[in-house]
Amino acid sequence: MTRFLTTVPILGLFLIASASFADEATIKRSYIDLDWGQIHLRTAHPVNASDNVPVVCFAPTPYSGNYYKLLMQDLARDRLVIAPDYPGLGQSDRPDRALDIADHADIMAEVLIAAGWGPDGRGPVDACGYHTGTFIATELAIRHPALIRQLVLIGIPFYEGAERTERHEKLGKVRPLPDSLATLEQDWTFAIEKRAKGVSLERAFENFIESAAAWQNRSRIYGAVFQYPAEQRALLLKQPALVLNPHGNLKEPTQAFAALIPNAELVELPDLKYGIFDTAPDVLAAESRAFLDRP
């Protein structure tokens, strides 16, 4: 099923609702100890206790769980929200071997189970992913079905054949550390000078710093993304999935991946393109909440 959402006429209403509750959610940081190191995560705790299933948010490369800060505040009006940092990104340790998407999914399962979730804990969680996070959420749901109840997938980097190979060659090769400011110019231009309208300079600078800090580790995760057999794995997804499709440069890849998922609902967001987690977290939260709260 495909649905188109026009956000502009109702955006103000969403913003009012979000603003009135944003200060209530407290985001706390913690670490989960694994055999090889620590995984850092942010957890947004709502003021009032809730029986709603928690949501775990998986970030786009090269960013940390902080990428979801505004969405977490909105969703945490009525549920617990968790945003981990991937191994080697943000404040998480990096293991001493290369990881593919399955490895990342298994590590995230370890983290959630250690935090008390899963069939032997407080029950399953819902998963939300953007870009890299869509594949990690998908693989987590496939490999650990008792841990994940439903999914929200946003902006999916699904490419096949030569396109996938080209992106792997461009983004998946570990580069030497920068030895001049000129080497960072492209990242600065993307994060700061070409930031989407509505994204603050402070927020853009945070993203630039995280990207620079992940200079080599981000290539390792991009390598995993563009070696992931997504067209095979999507067919195995059993859980209900909401696919939100902003009309940026992942519009067509997202549509193609959604078509492969057996139980997916596709919502087109033609009014949203870039910087959406800073400019329209209210829209993303409203669509996600409506889907996740269905009986």
Side-chain angles (χ1 to χ4, degrees), residues 153-173:
L153 307 176
I154 309 168
I156 304 168
F158 175 54
Y159 300 96
E160 296 182 89
E163 282 190 290
R164 181 182 297 171
T165 300
E166 178 184 351
R167 282 165 173 78
H168 181 266
E169 290 296 319
K170 181 179 180 181
L171 298 172
K173 304 297 184 181

Side-chain angles (χ1 to χ4, degrees), residues 117-194:
W117 303 103
D120 296 326
R122 288 170 282 177
V125 299
D126 294 326
C128 172
Y130 176 51
H131 200 278
T132 299
T134 61
F135 287 166
I136 293 177
T138 295
E139 191 64 20
L140 178 61
I142 294 169
R143 296 172 69 84
H144 304 274
L147 187 57
I148 302 300
R149 185 186 68 134
Q150 299 186 96
L151 299 96
V152 176
L153 307 176
I154 309 168
I156 304 168
F158 175 54
Y159 300 96
E160 296 182 89
E163 282 190 290
R164 181 182 297 171
T165 300
E166 178 184 351
R167 282 165 173 78
H168 181 266
E169 290 296 319
K170 181 179 180 181
L171 298 172
K173 304 297 184 181
V174 177
R175 298 179 293 170
L177 290 172
D179 57 3
S180 69
L181 288 176
T183 311
L184 294 169
E185 184 176 355
Q186 183 176 354
D187 281 20
W188 175 271
T189 300
F190 174 79
I192 306 294
E193 297 177 8
K194 293 186 177 180

